[in-house]
Amino acid sequence: MSGPRAHELRAAMGPDPKLAHEVALTGSQSGNSRHWEDKPNAGYSGTPMWKIKAQLQEQQASAQTGPLKVPEGFKQVEKGKPMYYNDKRQVYWSGEDGKTYVYDAVMEKYSLLYDGKAFDMRIAVGSCFHEKAFQARHVLVKDLAKAAQAMRMSVEHLDRPCALYALYEGHRGKPGSG
């Protein structure tokens, strides 16, 4: 059976004048010259907010005037070089970029040292071991930063809070030595 299909008939007849009154036309469809009012981002450049914030941070960083101030406790390694060393922390500080480094003797180069961040949260840690687990030893340090401070060790490169969990298994200890 041949003949025009329903969608072909509707297209040939044009829009139904009864339906045109029920449909709300947009500004550009009605012939209104102010079609920009229908756009949700009217008046904005279209640049994403994250990009604007990143550009602002770059501008603020470049706006800092004057050379970087050497942190307390750092002494210059060699005259004429912008590298400083701290005996207490055993780290280097670069006067060019203001970042801390450690010296890798194997690779014979400076490696960037991560500066730890402090977060406002708490960690609840616990453990439970039974007496028959004589082949396993464990270490549980609930606050590694405090333990390191007591042992006069630097863990400034770790985020806070931090903890240490270690399980040593298979050392063949004596039964009941727990």
Side-chain angles (χ1 to χ4, degrees):
M1 194 166 164
S2 66
R5 295 191 177 108
H7 69 278
E8 293 172 340
L9 286 174
R10 276 189 241 117
M13 291 175 23
D16 188 3
K18 294 178 184 174
L19 295 177
H21 297 299
E22 297 172 9
V23 176
L25 300 176
T26 63
S28 59
Q29 291 172 336
S30 65
N32 187 355
S33 63
R34 298 191 311 178
H35 65 277
W36 56 269
E37 291 178 353
D38 293 337
K39 295 183 180 179
N41 63 343
Y44 297 102
S45 66
T47 305
M49 197 60 164
W50 65 267
K51 193 170 187 178
I52 294 172
K53 286 181 182 178
Q55 290 172 348
L56 182 63
Q57 288 175 351
E58 287 177 19
Q59 289 173 355
Q60 289 174 348
S62 65
Q64 293 177 348
T65 57
L68 294 174
K69 184 180 175 190
V70 178
E72 189 176 324
F74 284 87
K75 295 180 182 174
Q76 193 168 17
V77 177
E78 291 181 35
K79 282 193 174 185
K81 290 190 176 182
M83 194 60 82
Y84 299 85
Y85 182 72
N86 186 324
D87 287 327
K88 184 178 179 183
R89 292 181 56 200
Q90 297 181 350
V91 295
Y92 293 88
W93 181 80
S94 173
E96 293 175 345
D97 58 8
K99 295 182 180 178
T100 53
Y101 295 87
V102 292
Y103 184 73
D104 188 355
V106 175
M107 300 295 289
E108 296 182 353
K109 69 174 190 172
Y110 294 99
S111 299
L112 183 64
L113 181 67
Y114 175 77
D115 290 326
K117 298 174 186 166
F119 296 99
D120 189 25
M121 68 172 85
R122 295 190 179 265
I123 298 175
V125 180
S127 62
C128 179
F129 296 92
H130 57 87
E131 62 187 38
K132 293 185 181 180
F134 62 91
Q135 289 188 351
R137 293 277 191 240
H138 67 277
V139 175
L140 180 65
V141 180
K142 294 182 179 183
D143 192 348
L144 187 60
K146 282 185 183 178
Q149 185 179 14
M151 295 173 62
R152 299 177 194 252
M153 296 175 65
S154 175
V155 290
E156 296 296 318
H157 60 283
L158 297 177
D159 292 337
R160 276 163 209 61
C162 56
L164 172 77
Y165 314 101
L167 178 65
Y168 305 97
E169 190 171 1
H171 63 79
R172 306 282 184 219
K174 296 178 184 176
S177 65

